[in-house]
Amino acid sequence: MSANLETNKSFITLHGIGKTFQTSGTSVPIFENLDLTIQKGEFVAVMGPSGSGKSTLLNLLAGLDGPDTGEIWIAGQRLDHMGEAARSAWRAHHLGIVFQFYNLLPMLTAEENVELPLLLKPIPASMRRERVEKILDLVGLAGRGRQNPARMSGGQQQRVGIARAIVSDPTLLLCDEPTGDLDRASADEVLTMLGYLNRELGKTIVMVTHDPEAAEVAGRTLHLDKGVFIERERVMA
Ligand code: ADP
Ligand code: MG
């Protein structure tokens, strides 16, 4: 099976994933035999009721949690067999994460927040600053780098969050309800930006959302319910 999955051309392959949480003596099964394939450059929305395992799925894709059974392949590498150090290196190379509540560090300016992932890499300071400036420009925050995110609107904070997620040019963006805390206008700006990153920069995006308008910008929507996916392809006009 592994040999087949390894030669599989999909960017992301989840095969036979089982995941059960143990809480105070009771077992909470989340996934029993979950399969999923995502191609490079896809924009996939994941919807489903609260508690259906959406964040658990993102944690598995991020290598932040491991499955009990099954295999997780991303970009030709088997994530669930890597040690912690290898997974950290893999994340630094391949992954950007966008959170519902931005997860920005309040003591740092916008540009310092965006710079953080680059500090893990051997990049000279001048190149780091150049890169941060370019990315802030890309997300529409040119000239705002010295501002503290706490003084920004939710929409601006999320754009700082997106800038931080893409500053090291990852191939995969995971977004956990990126518009969940935003008003409609800011949500639409963020969605337009994610659509741009997917279409123009080729980022593969997996986005958990409750927002039907958010799912509209994705090419494919998966509905997670009772541990299985129900898929609806969107017919492109
Ligand atoms: P969703 O994001 O779809 O709301 P989650 O993936 O966060 O759902 O959680 C799915 C289920 O797993 C919930 O019942 C949650 O309480 C449980 N769960 C999630 N993470 C853990 C954990 N680390 N330990 C125990 N139970 C957990
Ligand atoms: Mg969740």
Side-chain angles (χ1 to χ4, degrees):
M1 179 50 73
S2 289
N4 283 343
L5 290 179
E6 201 175 359
T7 53
N8 184 324
K9 290 275 168 33
S10 297
F11 182 59
I12 299 176
T13 303
L14 270 61
H15 179 73
I17 297 301
K19 182 73 183 169
T20 297
F21 287 114
Q22 309 290 342
T23 29
S24 54
T26 51
S27 296
V28 184
I30 309 297
F31 303 128
E32 266 167 37
N33 190 15
L34 187 75
D35 290 336
L36 172 65
T37 56
I38 293 176
Q39 307 305 323
K40 197 153 199 278
E42 269 201 280
F43 188 161
V44 177
V46 179
M47 303 187 83
S50 180
S52 58
K54 304 183 297 297
S55 295
T56 302
L57 174 73
L58 291 187
N59 287 338
L60 292 173
L61 291 174
L64 294 169
D65 197 357
D68 303 328
T69 62
E71 301 179 19
I72 299 177
W73 291 84
I74 304 182
Q77 285 180 282
R78 185 162 174 185
L79 202 57
D80 59 292
H81 268 188
M82 282 181 204
E84 190 44 55
R87 265 185 295 159
S88 294
W90 179 88
R91 272 196 295 275
H93 185 66
H94 283 287
L95 192 67
I97 308 183
V98 177
F99 304 89
Q100 178 175 3
F101 299 109
Y102 330 125
N103 288 23
L104 301 170
L105 294 180
M107 309 304 286
L108 302 182
T109 63
E111 63 191 11
E112 288 167 340
N113 269 280
V114 174
E115 189 182 22
L116 278 178
L118 296 181
L119 297 176
L120 300 170
K121 301 187 168 204
I123 304 173
S126 61
M127 272 181 72
R128 276 206 312 268
R129 280 194 291 272
E130 211 171 284
R131 176 85 186 146
V132 167
E133 205 171 306
K134 196 170 151 213
I135 294 294
L136 281 172
D137 193 13
L138 181 76
V139 300
L141 291 174
R144 304 282 192 122
R146 299 281 163 84
Q147 232 174 305
N148 191 295
R151 296 182 181 279
M152 292 179 163
S153 70
Q156 289 171 331
Q157 289 188 58
Q158 191 57 298
R159 284 190 271 151
V160 175
I162 291 172
R164 181 187 52 192
I166 61 171
V167 73
S168 19
D169 201 22
T171 37
L172 175 61
L173 267 188
L174 300 177
C175 309
D176 199 350
E177 306 202 30
T179 63
D181 198 46
L182 299 178
D183 60 72
R184 188 70 260 158
S186 302
D188 288 342
E189 276 175 24
V190 161
L191 293 171
T192 300
M193 189 159 300
L194 292 175
Y196 173 86
L197 296 175
N198 171 247
R199 277 193 320 276
E200 304 301 326
L201 302 185
K203 304 295 178 200
T204 305
I205 302 181
V206 182
M207 172 179 69
V208 164
T209 187
H210 283 296
D211 177 359
E213 289 187 37
E216 275 292 301
V217 303
R220 179 153 71 114
T221 300
L222 302 170
H223 293 265
L224 192 54
D225 198 10
K226 299 183 178 69
V228 294
F229 284 123
I230 301 156
E231 185 162 338
R232 265 203 323 247
E233 297 272 357
R234 194 154 70 94
V235 181
M236 303 301 262

